Amino acid sequence: MQGIPVTASATSVSGRYTLKVYISVSPAIITDVLKQYALDEGALLYWWMGDTVYQVEGDDLTSLPADSFQLEESDEDAGATLDDSTLLYRTERDGVGYSVIAIPIGVHDLYLAEAIPDVPLAEMLPQLLGTIAIMVIAIAVLFFGILLMLVLHKLISNPIRALQQQIETLAQGDFTVNPGIEWNHELGDVGRGINHLSQSVTSLMDKRVEDEKKRLDLEYQMLQSQINPHFIYNTLNSIKWMASIQHAPGIAEMVTALARLLKSVSKSTQRLVPLEQELSLLEDYFTIQRYRYGGTITAEVRCEAEEQVLTSTLIPQFALQPRAENAIFHGIEPKGCAGQITVTICRDEQGRDILVRLADDGVSISPEQIARVLQPPPEDTQAKFRDVGLWNVHRRLQYSFGPDYGLTLESTPGVGTTVTVRLPEQPPAEPDAT
């Protein structure tokens, strides 16, 4: 359908966005109104839109070429019949002179013009103005509707843009609730739905973090429960052997040391204990093993750091015993002669962390065995209980203090093996306020 093009612009308050609106207006909007307009014989009716001129012919608006409609300002005085905004021109078509009266509609540079053949103008003006006034009202109502449509479009487009920006914010990982999109109309319901979605995603993420923390705690407890149970079996065998071949007070000392160890394993619920307490448990274990091996195994503990380090530094319970057990069973015993285990507590080179070194003078281990020691144990049950010791300690240290802490192993043929436990020094406790 042929239409009259109408364009308009709308700019946001910030000036960032500009909306271009194009409307194709049906000629019937104008021609239907002008059907009731009675033209004098020979008169022509025109519709002006800016620089474009349309001739009204029944139901049609015919756009005229610019050179086919030449106007000249009229020298005639219309007197009091016309107001100041009415334009008066002269033109000629097909050898006939016309007086052109153009009356403004009042909006958007629109005019309704009538070309009247050269007849006394004063006789026609009263009837012409009345008719034009009716048309002006009708056209004004039309354009008021267009303006209303533009305003409504602006009221709808801004909320939609705000919703779109909020969705983009969600896509970037920001789930903050935005109360500014909860308007009191239908689009506000959409905004409330988006905010509800943000709250739900945030709740799910918090729950996921909490579940992960519970999983790590459960795995830590599982690792805690795997502390080499076979060392208890070996110790009991040692006590049985001692009781069978001699009657000596050493049995009482062994049983006492074992009782303290079993009490620490079964009764304690602490994940971390002071280093001093862990060294005391280690001394009980050494006591049992010295009697078992007839005094051929000696142990020495050296503290090269300040004494307060023993109480201020925390360590997972039974973190040192698996290393001492490995040193005896896999280092000193295969050597077939007496052996020495040395425990040294010192600071690292930067003076920030505490190092606990357990060194033995037994047989060394290969680099392949060192790499395998800190790996998860195999699925085979017997092998798992045999290899879980140092890996268990290493994992518990990392769970407690982070990936920068744990165990490192060094082994030199003919010298022995050293396992270093890296621990963070805890800040001193603040005195109670009085």
Side-chain angles (χ1 to χ4, degrees):
M1 178 183 295
Q2 181 181 10
I4 301 173
V6 179
T7 61
S9 298
T11 303
S12 64
V13 175
S14 63
R16 184 178 177 183
Y17 301 98
T18 300
L19 176 69
K20 302 293 291 185
V21 180
Y22 167 83
I23 300 176
S24 180
V25 180
S26 172
I29 295 178
I30 299 172
T31 57
D32 288 349
V33 176
L34 298 180
K35 283 181 180 179
Q36 301 177 3
Y37 184 80
L39 289 175
D40 292 340
E41 184 176 356
L44 302 174
L45 195 60
Y46 297 96
W47 178 257
W48 292 2
M49 296 183 66
D51 297 329
T52 306
V53 180
Y54 297 88
Q55 182 174 348
V56 182
E57 296 178 304
D59 293 333
D60 297 326
L61 287 181
T62 304
S63 178
L64 300 179
D67 57 353
S68 66
F69 191 75
Q70 301 293 331
L71 297 176
E72 298 177 359
E73 292 187 2
S74 176
D75 295 330
E76 297 181 8
D77 184 12
T81 307
L82 304 177
D83 57 35
D84 295 336
S85 60
T86 302
L87 304 179
L88 188 62
Y89 296 95
R90 292 283 304 168
T91 188
E92 183 174 341
R93 293 192 62 181
D94 301 328
V96 178
Y98 290 84
S99 295
V100 180
I101 302 174
I103 298 178
I105 301 302
V107 291
H108 299 289
D109 199 20
L110 300 175
Y111 288 84
L112 184 63
E114 181 176 0
I116 305 172
D118 288 337
V119 294
L121 184 60
E123 297 177 4
M124 302 179 60
L125 284 179
Q127 181 180 1
L128 182 62
L129 289 176
T131 304
I132 293 178
I134 296 175
M135 291 188 294
V136 167
I137 294 174
I139 300 300
V141 171
L142 166 68
F143 280 90
F144 176 79
I146 296 175
L147 292 176
L148 180 62
M149 180 191 67
L150 296 176
V151 172
L152 291 176
H153 183 76
K154 183 177 181 180
L155 292 176
I156 294 174
S157 63
N158 286 340
I160 291 178
R161 188 179 301 113
L163 293 175
Q164 184 179 18
Q165 291 175 349
Q166 183 64 17
I167 293 174
E168 292 175 355
T169 301
L170 294 180
Q172 294 172 1
D174 184 359
F175 299 99
T176 304
V177 173
N178 181 12
I181 61 174
E182 298 184 3
W183 306 282
N184 294 324
H185 49 72
E186 289 78 5
L187 292 177
D189 293 337
V190 178
R192 281 183 283 273
I194 293 176
N195 284 337
H196 180 69
L197 174 64
S198 300
Q199 293 174 336
S200 299
V201 172
T202 302
S203 299
L204 289 174
M205 292 175 64
D206 292 342
K207 186 177 183 301
R208 179 69 179 87
V209 172
E210 183 64 23
D211 291 343
E212 181 66 13
K213 183 177 181 298
K214 291 180 179 178
R215 186 189 68 81
L216 292 176
D217 288 343
L218 182 61
E219 185 174 354
Y220 184 94
Q221 294 174 10
M222 180 191 70
L223 293 172
Q224 181 76 23
S225 66
Q226 293 176 347
I227 303 294
N228 286 341
H230 69 278
F231 99 89
I232 299 177
Y233 175 80
N234 292 336
T235 303
L236 293 176
N237 279 340
S238 298
I239 296 175
K240 179 180 178 181
W241 173 73
M242 291 284 295
S244 299
I245 65 174
Q246 71 179 32
H247 299 280
I251 295 178
E253 188 176 359
M254 288 182 68
V255 172
T256 301
L258 177 60
R260 284 195 293 262
L261 288 173
L262 292 177
K263 181 178 179 180
S264 298
V265 172
S266 61
K267 299 296 184 181
S268 177
T269 59
Q270 292 179 289
R271 291 178 55 176
L272 301 175
V273 297
L275 182 57
E276 183 180 47
Q277 180 177 333
E278 180 67 11
L279 292 174
S280 177
L281 295 177
L282 187 62
E283 180 61 30
D284 288 333
Y285 177 74
F286 282 145
T287 297
I288 296 172
Q289 297 304 327
R290 276 196 296 268
Y291 279 106
R292 175 181 177 180
Y293 288 95
T296 59
I297 295 178
T298 58
E300 180 183 4
V301 178
R302 302 173 183 171
C303 182
E304 299 178 357
E306 309 91 307
E307 288 295 330
Q308 67 177 17
V309 167
L310 299 179
T311 56
S312 64
T313 303
L314 299 181
I315 186 171
Q317 192 175 37
F318 270 77
L320 300 181
Q321 181 275 331
R323 165 53 190 146
E325 184 178 26
N326 279 1
I328 294 173
F329 294 156
H330 305 298
I332 297 175
E333 188 176 275
K335 188 173 66 168
C337 60
Q340 170 77 24
I341 297 176
T342 304
V343 181
T344 306
I345 298 96
C346 61
R347 292 183 178 274
D348 65 358
E349 295 179 355
Q350 291 75 28
R352 295 179 302 179
D353 294 332
I354 303 301
L355 304 180
V356 181
R357 292 192 172 97
L358 285 86
D360 66 70
D361 58 358
V363 298
S364 61
I365 60 177
S366 65
E368 293 77 13
Q369 289 175 310
I370 292 178
R372 188 173 65 251
V373 164
L374 299 183
Q375 297 299 318
E379 293 299 326
D380 178 68
T381 303
Q382 294 183 353
K384 183 173 183 179
F385 279 108
R386 184 178 65 249
D387 300 335
V388 75
L390 294 184
W391 172 79
N392 180 292
V393 173
H394 182 63
R395 293 295 289 163
R396 285 192 293 144
L397 287 167
Q398 291 192 330
Y399 277 139
S400 299
F401 307 122
D404 294 334
Y405 298 91
L407 301 181
T408 56
L409 282 77
E410 298 178 1
S411 187
T412 304
V415 177
T417 303
T418 300
V419 175
T420 301
V421 182
R422 179 177 291 271
L423 302 169
E425 182 180 11
Q426 305 298 319
E430 297 182 1
D432 296 337
T434 59

